[in-house]
Amino acid sequence: MADCLFCKIVAGEIPSTKIYEDEYVYAFADIAPQAPFHAIVIPKEHICCANKITSENSFLIGKVFEAIQKIAELENLEDGYRVVNNCGEKAGQTVFHIHFHLLARRDLGWPPG
Ligand code: AMP
Ligand code: ZN
């Protein structure tokens, strides 16, 4: 998608600090981390938000969660991490390429704010 920040990151047109990459998924360090470990994990293919997951593209969300398991192992996060998806402006979504915040290495309160 021409005007999408995260598509540009996947294409290498905007720099990012890569944490993980495979055929379907890219993960990079969040520019404004909310925890000592804060990655953004995305499908390389553009999907705007959780509300636009379909039977055709839902396998990509499975790939995202497979990647999260690998990142957790590589980064030694297995004692606990949180995955957050904001869907829609009212939920705090600011970048409209579906993404999953992977947060770890601090105590994460519940319920979230
Ligand atoms: P959300 O508010 O759920 O849409 O999350 C967007 C996230 O993307 C925020 O946590 C931002 O800090 C992060 N972000 C925005 N621009 C960049 C960038 N160029 N590189 C890395 N993370 C970014
Ligand atoms: Zn995109």
Side-chain angles (χ1 to χ4, degrees), residues 5-6 9 28-32 38 40 86 92-95 99 101:
L5 175 66
F6 287 173
I9 284 179
F28 53 100
D30 196 293
I31 207 168
H38 186 171
I40 297 286
N86 297 323
Q93 187 174 6
T94 58
V95 180
H99 54 279
H101 299 259

Side-chain angles (χ1 to χ4, degrees), residues 4-18 21 26-29 31 40 42 95 97:
C4 170
L5 175 66
F6 287 173
C7 281
K8 286 181 180 164
I9 284 179
V10 169
E13 292 164 14
I14 289 175
S16 65
T17 302
K18 178 161 93 174
E21 182 172 17
Y26 189 67
F28 53 100
I31 207 168
I40 297 286
I42 63 174
V95 180
H97 180 131

